[in-house]
Amino acid sequence: ATQGHVYSFDFGEEYNDWTKHEPGELFAAPIVRTFEGSSRLPEHLAAEAQGCHALVLWLDCDREGENICFEVMQNVLPALE
């Protein structure tokens, strides 16, 4: 089970100072995917998937739920039998 997103998305460090960039620049700025290393959630999901034959997800039926679904799938599907 997850309690939300597996990963976080943010702009690169060069965009941390909002006074140096116009808001419009953020539409074309690269996105960096990170996760809390101490949670070990990606490794946990992959380990739980070993020995399983199917993945059933029950998430909110909105864009955020869809995003969480794909994050889980990315970690679980390679480990399914």
Side-chain angles (χ1 to χ4, degrees), residues 3-15:
Q3 296 179 355
H5 290 278
V6 177
Y7 300 101
S8 296
F9 293 92
D10 203 351
F11 297 108
E13 288 186 25
E14 64 272 18
Y15 292 94

Side-chain angles (χ1 to χ4, degrees), residues 40-51:
R40 299 181 43 110
L41 188 53
E43 294 89 354
H44 174 71
L45 291 171
E48 290 296 316
Q50 292 180 355

Side-chain angles (χ1 to χ4, degrees), residues 1 5 8 17 19 22 32 38 43 49 56 64 72 74 77 80:
H5 290 278
S8 296
D17 186 353
T19 62
E22 292 295 319
V32 178
S38 63
E43 294 89 354
V56 177
E64 187 173 10
V72 171
Q74 180 181 4
L77 292 180
L80 287 180

Side-chain angles (χ1 to χ4, degrees), residues 16-76:
N16 284 349
D17 186 353
W18 290 63
T19 62
K20 293 182 179 179
H21 301 279
E22 292 295 319
E25 290 180 57
L26 299 177
F27 288 102
I31 302 293
V32 178
R33 184 176 77 167
T34 61
F35 73 97
E36 180 63 40
S38 63
S39 74
R40 299 181 43 110
L41 188 53
E43 294 89 354
H44 174 71
L45 291 171
E48 290 296 316
Q50 292 180 355
C52 294
H53 302 287
L55 172 65
V56 177
L57 298 171
W58 190 287
L59 298 151
D60 291 345
C61 197
D62 58 15
R63 289 181 182 160
E64 187 173 10
E66 182 179 3
N67 188 17
I68 294 169
C69 176
F70 281 105
E71 291 175 0
V72 171
M73 288 171 58
Q74 180 181 4
N75 289 281
V76 170

